[in-house]
Amino acid sequence: MQIRVFETLDDPALDDYARLTDVALRRAIEPEGGLYLAESLTVIGRALAAGHRPRSVLTSERWLPELEGLLAGHDVPVYVGTPALLEELTGFHLHRGALASMHRPTLPDPGALLRDARRVVVIENVVDHTNIGAIFRSVAGLGADAVFVTADAADPLYRRSVRVSMGTVLQVPWTRLPEWDAARTLFTDAGFQLAALALADDAVGLREYAASAPERVAVVVGSEGDGLSRRALAAADTVVTIPMGHGVDSLNVAAAAAVALYALQV
């Protein structure tokens, strides 16, 4: 570690943590892929375990002993400030130990992720970062193999998504999908059945579908307001619904993904 104590907020090296938006961070060091922020010692540890490269770390003096072990083997600057300065810089109390500015990894090829997978989740146009993080946490906890995200969906490496996922967004393989015509071909060629979670008159109940589910299933979930697009539904091999009661027609998208993954566990 290269420990660097700061006493003012004027150092340009601190820009990653205060003066760059998440969009600006993604573009900060193109073409390498940009940056993202990992919040908490746990999340930083998962990022490092996944092979992500740290650019710098921000913390207070009390967390240095734990960071020393965490960052062993990484020659990275660690910016140390008082709790008051850190809060002024970031806009919140840094009670989870540290923030790390991390280099974004190169996204894998979708076909490569499908090659050895059996259960995957497709996220279409979900824009709430909390929902994105919650879906990734369910994928990790319930044994799915990968996540595929459409172009209009929120960024899984946005700081809130990473935090809500408890860092699992850094350990679950994921990538972006092309448009639906090309995406359907990818899944079909890999032997996957696309199961769209949606309300439809001809939908199959989840319990019935899970009882005889094919070996390879891609669970497709849609945006918070409108659900899945017409193109997604047209690409799907089957529409699956979670039976509801008491006049409730559907679950939150993250909850629905979790229920479907639990039902489809193998």
Side-chain angles (χ1 to χ4, degrees):
M1 298 192 305
Q2 307 166 28
I3 298 174
R4 302 179 183 178
V5 178
F6 66 92
E7 297 179 348
T8 72
L9 305 181
D10 298 330
D11 189 338
L14 301 175
D15 282 355
D16 290 3
Y17 302 100
R19 289 178 281 274
L20 293 179
T21 64
D22 282 88
V23 171
L25 282 169
R26 290 202 297 272
R27 299 172 179 168
I29 53 170
E30 299 285 10
E32 287 86 352
L35 307 168
Y36 72 91
L37 294 183
E39 181 184 346
S40 84
L41 296 174
T42 298
V43 170
I44 294 169
R46 286 182 173 168
L48 295 174
H52 297 192
R53 293 188 300 116
R55 169 174 155 112
S56 66
V57 178
L58 182 73
T59 192
S60 60
E61 186 176 1
R62 65 168 290 197
W63 299 106
L64 287 176
E66 291 187 56
L67 275 171
E68 186 173 8
L70 197 62
L71 295 172
H74 294 278
D75 186 20
V76 59
V78 177
Y79 299 105
V80 179
T82 65
L85 266 180
L86 293 174
E87 186 166 355
E88 184 179 353
L89 175 66
T90 63
F92 60 93
H93 178 55
L94 199 65
H95 65 279
R96 293 182 176 90
L99 273 176
S101 177
M102 306 290 298
H103 292 274
R104 283 176 171 260
T106 301
L107 292 179
D109 175 73
L113 286 191
L114 289 172
R115 193 171 299 126
D116 298 318
R118 297 184 65 191
R119 295 286 185 267
V120 301
V121 172
V122 179
I123 302 174
E124 187 201 37
N125 302 347
V126 172
V127 297
D128 185 276
H129 294 100
T130 297
N131 284 333
I132 293 285
I135 292 171
F136 269 86
R137 189 171 180 180
S138 294
V139 167
L142 296 171
D145 301 302
V147 175
F148 296 83
V149 185
T150 64
D152 292 333
D155 178 19
L157 292 182
Y158 186 86
R159 183 160 55 88
R160 184 168 181 81
S161 299
V162 176
R163 183 170 68 247
V164 170
S165 80
M166 294 296 291
T168 55
V169 71
L170 307 173
Q171 67 188 59
V172 172
W174 70 276
T175 196
R176 293 280 182 180
L177 272 181
E179 295 296 327
W180 271 113
D181 288 345
R184 175 172 170 75
T185 299
L186 280 170
F187 288 108
T188 300
D189 289 350
F192 274 80
Q193 185 174 97
L194 285 162
L197 290 188
L199 300 174
D201 292 338
D202 60 346
V204 178
L206 176 59
R207 186 177 291 107
E208 178 185 350
Y209 180 76
S212 57
E215 181 180 1
R216 291 183 159 185
V217 177
V219 176
V220 188
V221 296
S223 67
E224 294 86 353
D226 299 327
L228 290 170
S229 69
R230 292 181 180 179
R231 296 187 68 187
L233 291 171
D237 297 293
T238 187
V239 178
V240 178
T241 190
I242 300 172
M244 308 293 291
H246 305 288
V248 178
D249 63 357
S250 63
L251 296 173
N252 163 273
V253 62
V259 170
L261 289 176
Y262 180 80
L264 290 167
Q265 278 184 320
V266 292

